mmCIF file of all heavy atoms in Angstrom:
data_model
loop_
_atom_site.group_PDB
_atom_site.id
_atom_site.type_symbol
_atom_site.label_atom_id
_atom_site.label_comp_id
_atom_site.label_asym_id
_atom_site.label_seq_id
_atom_site.Cartn_x
_atom_site.Cartn_y
_atom_site.Cartn_z
ATOM 1 N N GLY A 1 -27.747 17.198 -68.667
ATOM 2 C CA GLY A 1 -26.851 16.275 -69.373
ATOM 3 C C GLY A 1 -25.571 16.008 -68.595
ATOM 4 O O GLY A 1 -25.282 16.667 -67.590
ATOM 5 N N PRO A 2 -24.778 15.052 -69.073
ATOM 6 C CA PRO A 2 -23.583 14.620 -68.330
ATOM 7 C C PRO A 2 -22.523 15.701 -68.181
ATOM 8 O O PRO A 2 -21.740 15.689 -67.242
ATOM 9 C CB PRO A 2 -23.053 13.452 -69.166
ATOM 10 C CG PRO A 2 -23.633 13.631 -70.530
ATOM 11 C CD PRO A 2 -24.945 14.311 -70.326
ATOM 12 N N GLU A 3 -22.519 16.684 -69.116
ATOM 13 C CA GLU A 3 -21.447 17.696 -69.096
ATOM 14 C C GLU A 3 -21.445 18.532 -67.819
ATOM 15 O O GLU A 3 -20.421 19.095 -67.446
ATOM 16 C CB GLU A 3 -21.505 18.592 -70.338
ATOM 17 C CG GLU A 3 -22.761 19.411 -70.496
ATOM 18 C CD GLU A 3 -23.878 18.689 -71.239
ATOM 19 O OE1 GLU A 3 -23.832 17.451 -71.349
ATOM 20 O OE2 GLU A 3 -24.802 19.378 -71.687
ATOM 21 N N ARG A 4 -22.583 18.610 -67.117
ATOM 22 C CA ARG A 4 -22.606 19.466 -65.924
ATOM 23 C C ARG A 4 -21.796 18.891 -64.761
ATOM 24 O O ARG A 4 -21.524 19.583 -63.794
ATOM 25 C CB ARG A 4 -24.040 19.753 -65.490
ATOM 26 C CG ARG A 4 -24.835 18.579 -64.928
ATOM 27 C CD ARG A 4 -26.317 18.968 -64.876
ATOM 28 N NE ARG A 4 -27.156 18.035 -64.150
ATOM 29 C CZ ARG A 4 -27.686 16.936 -64.660
ATOM 30 N NH1 ARG A 4 -27.388 16.587 -65.910
ATOM 31 N NH2 ARG A 4 -28.464 16.156 -63.945
ATOM 32 N N PHE A 5 -21.390 17.628 -64.877
ATOM 33 C CA PHE A 5 -20.608 17.005 -63.797
ATOM 34 C C PHE A 5 -19.132 16.796 -64.156
ATOM 35 O O PHE A 5 -18.407 16.172 -63.381
ATOM 36 C CB PHE A 5 -21.230 15.657 -63.408
ATOM 37 C CG PHE A 5 -22.601 15.779 -62.807
ATOM 38 C CD1 PHE A 5 -23.722 15.353 -63.511
ATOM 39 C CD2 PHE A 5 -22.778 16.329 -61.537
ATOM 40 C CE1 PHE A 5 -24.993 15.474 -62.963
ATOM 41 C CE2 PHE A 5 -24.046 16.452 -60.983
ATOM 42 C CZ PHE A 5 -25.157 16.024 -61.691
ATOM 43 N N VAL A 6 -18.707 17.294 -65.311
ATOM 44 C CA VAL A 6 -17.324 17.042 -65.749
ATOM 45 C C VAL A 6 -16.314 17.583 -64.737
ATOM 46 O O VAL A 6 -15.359 16.902 -64.358
ATOM 47 C CB VAL A 6 -17.069 17.635 -67.158
ATOM 48 C CG1 VAL A 6 -15.581 17.661 -67.493
ATOM 49 C CG2 VAL A 6 -17.812 16.817 -68.216
ATOM 50 N N ASP A 7 -16.515 18.825 -64.275
ATOM 51 C CA ASP A 7 -15.553 19.387 -63.312
ATOM 52 C C ASP A 7 -15.593 18.639 -61.981
ATOM 53 O O ASP A 7 -14.567 18.424 -61.345
ATOM 54 C CB ASP A 7 -15.759 20.892 -63.113
ATOM 55 C CG ASP A 7 -17.179 21.276 -62.740
ATOM 56 O OD1 ASP A 7 -18.103 20.471 -62.964
ATOM 57 O OD2 ASP A 7 -17.373 22.401 -62.232
ATOM 58 N N ASP A 8 -16.789 18.181 -61.577
ATOM 59 C CA ASP A 8 -16.910 17.455 -60.307
ATOM 60 C C ASP A 8 -16.146 16.138 -60.320
ATOM 61 O O ASP A 8 -15.576 15.730 -59.307
ATOM 62 C CB ASP A 8 -18.391 17.177 -59.998
ATOM 63 C CG ASP A 8 -19.160 18.455 -59.707
ATOM 64 O OD1 ASP A 8 -18.845 19.113 -58.703
ATOM 65 O OD2 ASP A 8 -20.051 18.806 -60.489
ATOM 66 N N VAL A 9 -16.152 15.481 -61.473
ATOM 67 C CA VAL A 9 -15.437 14.207 -61.622
ATOM 68 C C VAL A 9 -13.933 14.409 -61.405
ATOM 69 O O VAL A 9 -13.270 13.616 -60.723
ATOM 70 C CB VAL A 9 -15.735 13.604 -63.020
ATOM 71 C CG1 VAL A 9 -14.702 12.574 -63.404
ATOM 72 C CG2 VAL A 9 -17.120 12.979 -63.038
ATOM 73 N N VAL A 10 -13.410 15.493 -61.978
ATOM 74 C CA VAL A 10 -11.980 15.790 -61.818
ATOM 75 C C VAL A 10 -11.694 16.236 -60.379
ATOM 76 O O VAL A 10 -10.723 15.789 -59.758
ATOM 77 C CB VAL A 10 -11.524 16.875 -62.832
ATOM 78 C CG1 VAL A 10 -10.058 17.222 -62.627
ATOM 79 C CG2 VAL A 10 -11.764 16.402 -64.270
ATOM 80 N N LEU A 11 -12.559 17.094 -59.830
ATOM 81 C CA LEU A 11 -12.379 17.594 -58.462
ATOM 82 C C LEU A 11 -12.389 16.465 -57.437
ATOM 83 O O LEU A 11 -11.631 16.489 -56.466
ATOM 84 C CB LEU A 11 -13.489 18.595 -58.117
ATOM 85 C CG LEU A 11 -13.347 19.987 -58.721
ATOM 86 C CD1 LEU A 11 -14.653 20.763 -58.569
ATOM 87 C CD2 LEU A 11 -12.207 20.756 -58.066
ATOM 88 N N LEU A 12 -13.258 15.481 -57.668
ATOM 89 C CA LEU A 12 -13.326 14.343 -56.742
ATOM 90 C C LEU A 12 -11.965 13.659 -56.646
ATOM 91 O O LEU A 12 -11.476 13.369 -55.550
ATOM 92 C CB LEU A 12 -14.389 13.355 -57.223
ATOM 93 C CG LEU A 12 -14.450 12.008 -56.486
ATOM 94 C CD1 LEU A 12 -14.741 12.190 -55.006
ATOM 95 C CD2 LEU A 12 -15.492 11.090 -57.102
ATOM 96 N N ARG A 13 -11.320 13.463 -57.788
ATOM 97 C CA ARG A 13 -10.025 12.756 -57.763
ATOM 98 C C ARG A 13 -8.901 13.639 -57.224
ATOM 99 O O ARG A 13 -7.981 13.137 -56.596
ATOM 100 C CB ARG A 13 -9.732 12.172 -59.144
ATOM 101 C CG ARG A 13 -10.449 10.833 -59.248
ATOM 102 C CD ARG A 13 -10.626 10.236 -60.570
ATOM 103 N NE ARG A 13 -11.172 8.887 -60.389
ATOM 104 C CZ ARG A 13 -12.436 8.618 -60.086
ATOM 105 N NH1 ARG A 13 -13.301 9.593 -59.911
ATOM 106 N NH2 ARG A 13 -12.848 7.370 -59.911
ATOM 107 N N ILE A 14 -8.993 14.935 -57.443
ATOM 108 C CA ILE A 14 -8.034 15.850 -56.809
ATOM 109 C C ILE A 14 -8.183 15.759 -55.286
ATOM 110 O O ILE A 14 -7.202 15.690 -54.543
ATOM 111 C CB ILE A 14 -8.266 17.301 -57.302
ATOM 112 C CG1 ILE A 14 -7.800 17.445 -58.755
ATOM 113 C CG2 ILE A 14 -7.541 18.306 -56.405
ATOM 114 C CD1 ILE A 14 -8.187 18.771 -59.417
ATOM 115 N N ALA A 15 -9.432 15.724 -54.821
ATOM 116 C CA ALA A 15 -9.702 15.632 -53.379
ATOM 117 C C ALA A 15 -9.195 14.313 -52.799
ATOM 118 O O ALA A 15 -8.600 14.285 -51.717
ATOM 119 C CB ALA A 15 -11.205 15.778 -53.116
ATOM 120 N N LEU A 16 -9.406 13.215 -53.518
ATOM 121 C CA LEU A 16 -8.961 11.899 -53.020
ATOM 122 C C LEU A 16 -7.443 11.859 -52.862
ATOM 123 O O LEU A 16 -6.923 11.294 -51.898
ATOM 124 C CB LEU A 16 -9.424 10.787 -53.966
ATOM 125 C CG LEU A 16 -10.944 10.549 -54.027
ATOM 126 C CD1 LEU A 16 -11.276 9.451 -55.020
ATOM 127 C CD2 LEU A 16 -11.526 10.225 -52.656
ATOM 128 N N ALA A 17 -6.739 12.493 -53.807
ATOM 129 C CA ALA A 17 -5.271 12.536 -53.706
ATOM 130 C C ALA A 17 -4.841 13.364 -52.498
ATOM 131 O O ALA A 17 -3.901 12.997 -51.780
ATOM 132 C CB ALA A 17 -4.682 13.128 -54.988
ATOM 133 N N ARG A 18 -5.530 14.462 -52.254
ATOM 134 C CA ARG A 18 -5.174 15.300 -51.115
ATOM 135 C C ARG A 18 -5.500 14.627 -49.781
ATOM 136 O O ARG A 18 -4.780 14.784 -48.804
ATOM 137 C CB ARG A 18 -5.891 16.654 -51.216
ATOM 138 C CG ARG A 18 -5.184 17.589 -52.192
ATOM 139 C CD ARG A 18 -5.781 18.964 -52.227
ATOM 140 N NE ARG A 18 -5.855 19.608 -50.925
ATOM 141 C CZ ARG A 18 -6.460 20.767 -50.701
ATOM 142 N NH1 ARG A 18 -7.050 21.404 -51.702
ATOM 143 N NH2 ARG A 18 -6.496 21.290 -49.494
ATOM 144 N N ILE A 19 -6.576 13.853 -49.750
ATOM 145 C CA ILE A 19 -6.914 13.098 -48.531
ATOM 146 C C ILE A 19 -5.797 12.104 -48.216
ATOM 147 O O ILE A 19 -5.373 11.959 -47.074
ATOM 148 C CB ILE A 19 -8.287 12.383 -48.685
ATOM 149 C CG1 ILE A 19 -9.417 13.428 -48.676
ATOM 150 C CG2 ILE A 19 -8.495 11.349 -47.573
ATOM 151 C CD1 ILE A 19 -10.750 12.905 -49.170
ATOM 152 N N ALA A 20 -5.290 11.439 -49.262
ATOM 153 C CA ALA A 20 -4.176 10.488 -49.076
ATOM 154 C C ALA A 20 -2.935 11.192 -48.545
ATOM 155 O O ALA A 20 -2.230 10.679 -47.675
ATOM 156 C CB ALA A 20 -3.876 9.788 -50.398
ATOM 157 N N LYS A 21 -2.678 12.395 -49.066
ATOM 158 C CA LYS A 21 -1.463 13.131 -48.725
ATOM 159 C C LYS A 21 -1.562 13.828 -47.365
ATOM 160 O O LYS A 21 -0.598 13.880 -46.605
ATOM 161 C CB LYS A 21 -1.212 14.169 -49.820
ATOM 162 C CG LYS A 21 0.181 14.774 -49.816
ATOM 163 C CD LYS A 21 0.325 15.696 -51.006
ATOM 164 C CE LYS A 21 1.626 16.467 -50.940
ATOM 165 N NZ LYS A 21 1.734 17.441 -52.024
ATOM 166 N N GLU A 22 -2.757 14.369 -47.067
ATOM 167 C CA GLU A 22 -2.920 15.211 -45.877
ATOM 168 C C GLU A 22 -3.653 14.513 -44.733
ATOM 169 O O GLU A 22 -3.888 15.117 -43.692
ATOM 170 C CB GLU A 22 -3.697 16.484 -46.260
ATOM 171 C CG GLU A 22 -2.997 17.330 -47.310
ATOM 172 C CD GLU A 22 -3.905 18.414 -47.895
ATOM 173 O OE1 GLU A 22 -4.905 18.778 -47.231
ATOM 174 O OE2 GLU A 22 -3.605 18.896 -49.011
ATOM 175 N N GLY A 23 -4.018 13.251 -44.940
ATOM 176 C CA GLY A 23 -4.872 12.572 -43.960
ATOM 177 C C GLY A 23 -4.174 12.082 -42.711
ATOM 178 O O GLY A 23 -4.818 11.602 -41.783
ATOM 179 N N GLY A 24 -2.838 12.160 -42.679
ATOM 180 C CA GLY A 24 -2.114 11.734 -41.481
ATOM 181 C C GLY A 24 -1.724 10.268 -41.516
ATOM 182 O O GLY A 24 -1.772 9.606 -42.565
ATOM 183 N N GLU A 25 -1.355 9.740 -40.350
ATOM 184 C CA GLU A 25 -0.822 8.365 -40.252
ATOM 185 C C GLU A 25 -1.806 7.302 -40.721
ATOM 186 O O GLU A 25 -1.409 6.243 -41.204
ATOM 187 C CB GLU A 25 -0.400 8.079 -38.808
ATOM 188 C CG GLU A 25 0.837 8.857 -38.366
ATOM 189 C CD GLU A 25 1.184 8.607 -36.908
ATOM 190 O OE1 GLU A 25 0.601 7.677 -36.303
ATOM 191 O OE2 GLU A 25 2.035 9.341 -36.370
ATOM 192 N N GLU A 26 -3.089 7.566 -40.520
ATOM 193 C CA GLU A 26 -4.097 6.547 -40.858
ATOM 194 C C GLU A 26 -4.568 6.629 -42.314
ATOM 195 O O GLU A 26 -5.414 5.845 -42.733
ATOM 196 C CB GLU A 26 -5.316 6.694 -39.927
ATOM 197 C CG GLU A 26 -5.000 6.577 -38.442
ATOM 198 C CD GLU A 26 -4.332 5.252 -38.093
ATOM 199 O OE1 GLU A 26 -4.748 4.211 -38.648
ATOM 200 O OE2 GLU A 26 -3.392 5.258 -37.280
ATOM 201 N N ALA A 27 -4.037 7.586 -43.062
ATOM 202 C CA ALA A 27 -4.515 7.779 -44.442
ATOM 203 C C ALA A 27 -4.237 6.548 -45.312
ATOM 204 O O ALA A 27 -5.062 6.188 -46.156
ATOM 205 C CB ALA A 27 -3.871 9.014 -45.057
ATOM 206 N N ALA A 28 -3.088 5.901 -45.107
ATOM 207 C CA ALA A 28 -2.740 4.732 -45.935
ATOM 208 C C ALA A 28 -3.779 3.624 -45.767
ATOM 209 O O ALA A 28 -4.195 2.994 -46.751
ATOM 210 C CB ALA A 28 -1.354 4.222 -45.571
ATOM 211 N N GLY A 29 -4.211 3.404 -44.535
ATOM 212 C CA GLY A 29 -5.238 2.390 -44.265
ATOM 213 C C GLY A 29 -6.559 2.744 -44.928
ATOM 214 O O GLY A 29 -7.246 1.878 -45.477
ATOM 215 N N PHE A 30 -6.894 4.028 -44.884
ATOM 216 C CA PHE A 30 -8.125 4.499 -45.518
ATOM 217 C C PHE A 30 -8.069 4.250 -47.027
ATOM 218 O O PHE A 30 -9.018 3.740 -47.620
ATOM 219 C CB PHE A 30 -8.322 5.997 -45.227
ATOM 220 C CG PHE A 30 -9.542 6.585 -45.875
ATOM 221 C CD1 PHE A 30 -10.795 6.433 -45.296
ATOM 222 C CD2 PHE A 30 -9.445 7.286 -47.080
ATOM 223 C CE1 PHE A 30 -11.936 6.974 -45.899
ATOM 224 C CE2 PHE A 30 -10.575 7.826 -47.685
ATOM 225 C CZ PHE A 30 -11.821 7.665 -47.088
ATOM 226 N N CYS A 31 -6.948 4.589 -47.641
ATOM 227 C CA CYS A 31 -6.791 4.412 -49.096
ATOM 228 C C CYS A 31 -6.883 2.933 -49.485
ATOM 229 O O CYS A 31 -7.434 2.599 -50.546
ATOM 230 C CB CYS A 31 -5.456 4.984 -49.569
ATOM 231 S SG CYS A 31 -5.309 6.763 -49.296
ATOM 232 N N THR A 32 -6.351 2.066 -48.641
ATOM 233 C CA THR A 32 -6.381 0.625 -48.920
ATOM 234 C C THR A 32 -7.822 0.121 -49.020
ATOM 235 O O THR A 32 -8.124 -0.769 -49.820
ATOM 236 C CB THR A 32 -5.627 -0.148 -47.820
ATOM 237 O OG1 THR A 32 -4.293 0.353 -47.756
ATOM 238 C CG2 THR A 32 -5.577 -1.637 -48.113
ATOM 239 N N ARG A 33 -8.714 0.719 -48.221
ATOM 240 C CA ARG A 33 -10.126 0.302 -48.257
ATOM 241 C C ARG A 33 -10.763 0.577 -49.613
ATOM 242 O O ARG A 33 -11.739 -0.055 -49.992
ATOM 243 C CB ARG A 33 -10.919 1.051 -47.168
ATOM 244 C CG ARG A 33 -10.743 0.451 -45.790
ATOM 245 C CD ARG A 33 -11.235 1.383 -44.705
ATOM 246 N NE ARG A 33 -12.583 1.877 -44.903
ATOM 247 C CZ ARG A 33 -13.101 2.916 -44.231
ATOM 248 N NH1 ARG A 33 -12.373 3.550 -43.332
ATOM 249 N NH2 ARG A 33 -14.333 3.301 -44.440
ATOM 250 N N PHE A 34 -10.207 1.543 -50.325
ATOM 251 C CA PHE A 34 -10.749 1.911 -51.646
ATOM 252 C C PHE A 34 -9.669 1.728 -52.709
ATOM 253 O O PHE A 34 -9.450 2.576 -53.564
ATOM 254 C CB PHE A 34 -11.264 3.362 -51.609
ATOM 255 C CG PHE A 34 -12.263 3.589 -50.515
ATOM 256 C CD1 PHE A 34 -11.891 4.205 -49.326
ATOM 257 C CD2 PHE A 34 -13.568 3.132 -50.633
ATOM 258 C CE1 PHE A 34 -12.793 4.388 -48.289
ATOM 259 C CE2 PHE A 34 -14.486 3.307 -49.608
ATOM 260 C CZ PHE A 34 -14.104 3.940 -48.432
ATOM 261 N N GLY A 35 -9.003 0.574 -52.617
ATOM 262 C CA GLY A 35 -7.837 0.284 -53.457
ATOM 263 C C GLY A 35 -8.104 0.362 -54.941
ATOM 264 O O GLY A 35 -7.235 0.778 -55.718
ATOM 265 N N GLU A 36 -9.319 0.017 -55.360
ATOM 266 C CA GLU A 36 -9.634 -0.002 -56.791
ATOM 267 C C GLU A 36 -9.530 1.419 -57.381
ATOM 268 O O GLU A 36 -9.011 1.608 -58.479
ATOM 269 C CB GLU A 36 -11.056 -0.546 -56.999
ATOM 270 C CG GLU A 36 -11.309 -0.979 -58.427
ATOM 271 C CD GLU A 36 -12.723 -1.507 -58.630
ATOM 272 O OE1 GLU A 36 -13.295 -2.093 -57.680
ATOM 273 O OE2 GLU A 36 -13.238 -1.318 -59.735
ATOM 274 N N VAL A 37 -10.010 2.397 -56.618
ATOM 275 C CA VAL A 37 -9.949 3.793 -57.075
ATOM 276 C C VAL A 37 -8.536 4.348 -56.898
ATOM 277 O O VAL A 37 -7.977 4.967 -57.805
ATOM 278 C CB VAL A 37 -10.978 4.656 -56.312
ATOM 279 C CG1 VAL A 37 -10.772 6.144 -56.609
ATOM 280 C CG2 VAL A 37 -12.399 4.245 -56.689
ATOM 281 N N TYR A 38 -7.949 4.100 -55.727
ATOM 282 C CA TYR A 38 -6.634 4.683 -55.430
ATOM 283 C C TYR A 38 -5.507 4.086 -56.271
ATOM 284 O O TYR A 38 -4.518 4.754 -56.546
ATOM 285 C CB TYR A 38 -6.322 4.550 -53.928
ATOM 286 C CG TYR A 38 -6.847 5.730 -53.134
ATOM 287 C CD1 TYR A 38 -8.021 5.636 -52.408
ATOM 288 C CD2 TYR A 38 -6.176 6.944 -53.128
ATOM 289 C CE1 TYR A 38 -8.512 6.727 -51.687
ATOM 290 C CE2 TYR A 38 -6.647 8.034 -52.415
ATOM 291 C CZ TYR A 38 -7.811 7.922 -51.691
ATOM 292 O OH TYR A 38 -8.286 9.010 -50.993
ATOM 293 N N SER A 39 -5.666 2.847 -56.722
ATOM 294 C CA SER A 39 -4.595 2.223 -57.518
ATOM 295 C C SER A 39 -4.410 2.921 -58.875
ATOM 296 O O SER A 39 -3.338 2.889 -59.461
ATOM 297 C CB SER A 39 -4.895 0.733 -57.742
ATOM 298 O OG SER A 39 -6.075 0.592 -58.515
ATOM 299 N N LYS A 40 -5.474 3.569 -59.366
ATOM 300 C CA LYS A 40 -5.402 4.261 -60.668
ATOM 301 C C LYS A 40 -5.218 5.772 -60.517
ATOM 302 O O LYS A 40 -5.097 6.493 -61.505
ATOM 303 C CB LYS A 40 -6.700 4.011 -61.446
ATOM 304 C CG LYS A 40 -6.898 2.580 -61.900
ATOM 305 C CD LYS A 40 -8.329 2.358 -62.371
ATOM 306 C CE LYS A 40 -8.591 3.054 -63.698
ATOM 307 N NZ LYS A 40 -9.989 2.820 -64.165
ATOM 308 N N LEU A 41 -5.233 6.245 -59.266
ATOM 309 C CA LEU A 41 -5.346 7.686 -59.038
ATOM 310 C C LEU A 41 -4.175 8.498 -59.589
ATOM 311 O O LEU A 41 -4.374 9.532 -60.234
ATOM 312 C CB LEU A 41 -5.534 7.959 -57.537
ATOM 313 C CG LEU A 41 -5.940 9.377 -57.155
ATOM 314 C CD1 LEU A 41 -7.247 9.781 -57.822
ATOM 315 C CD2 LEU A 41 -6.080 9.502 -55.641
ATOM 316 N N ASP A 42 -2.951 8.047 -59.353
ATOM 317 C CA ASP A 42 -1.786 8.797 -59.847
ATOM 318 C C ASP A 42 -1.830 8.935 -61.372
ATOM 319 O O ASP A 42 -1.528 9.992 -61.931
ATOM 320 C CB ASP A 42 -0.473 8.114 -59.430
ATOM 321 C CG ASP A 42 -0.170 8.312 -57.960
ATOM 322 O OD1 ASP A 42 -0.806 9.198 -57.336
ATOM 323 O OD2 ASP A 42 0.678 7.591 -57.415
ATOM 324 N N ASP A 43 -2.210 7.848 -62.020
ATOM 325 C CA ASP A 43 -2.307 7.837 -63.477
ATOM 326 C C ASP A 43 -3.432 8.762 -63.945
ATOM 327 O O ASP A 43 -3.267 9.512 -64.918
ATOM 328 C CB ASP A 43 -2.562 6.398 -63.943
ATOM 329 C CG ASP A 43 -1.997 6.157 -65.332
ATOM 330 O OD1 ASP A 43 -0.960 6.765 -65.670
ATOM 331 O OD2 ASP A 43 -2.609 5.376 -66.086
ATOM 332 N N ASP A 44 -4.574 8.717 -63.237
ATOM 333 C CA ASP A 44 -5.695 9.612 -63.556
ATOM 334 C C ASP A 44 -5.245 11.068 -63.524
ATOM 335 O O ASP A 44 -5.497 11.835 -64.458
ATOM 336 C CB ASP A 44 -6.833 9.460 -62.521
ATOM 337 C CG ASP A 44 -7.592 8.159 -62.656
ATOM 338 O OD1 ASP A 44 -7.589 7.574 -63.752
ATOM 339 O OD2 ASP A 44 -8.188 7.726 -61.653
ATOM 340 N N LEU A 45 -4.587 11.444 -62.432
ATOM 341 C CA LEU A 45 -4.199 12.843 -62.248
ATOM 342 C C LEU A 45 -3.166 13.282 -63.288
ATOM 343 O O LEU A 45 -3.204 14.418 -63.768
ATOM 344 C CB LEU A 45 -3.668 13.072 -60.832
ATOM 345 C CG LEU A 45 -4.695 12.866 -59.704
ATOM 346 C CD1 LEU A 45 -4.060 13.091 -58.359
ATOM 347 C CD2 LEU A 45 -5.897 13.769 -59.869
#
């Protein structure tokens, strides 16, 4: 059932935020490629 992925869904967004923060100079460009997800990320967290 869907409940087995609940923690993974949250972990994925924690990881995406850390990639943005720790990814270096090119991280901003990477985040822009996935703007739909990253635009809501701060609010999600």
Side-chain angles (χ1 to χ4, degrees):
E3 62 272 18
R4 69 194 190 276
F5 295 109
V6 167
D7 53 341
D8 293 296
V9 161
V10 178
L11 284 167
L12 171 60
R13 276 164 172 76
I14 288 171
L16 293 179
R18 280 185 55 187
I19 290 165
K21 195 176 172 185
E22 299 168 22
E25 290 177 11
E26 302 302 320
F30 178 81
C31 298
T32 303
R33 280 166 52 195
F34 305 101
E36 197 180 328
V37 171
Y38 272 101
S39 64
K40 292 167 71 179
L41 192 58
D42 286 345
D43 209 33
D44 288 336
L45 295 179

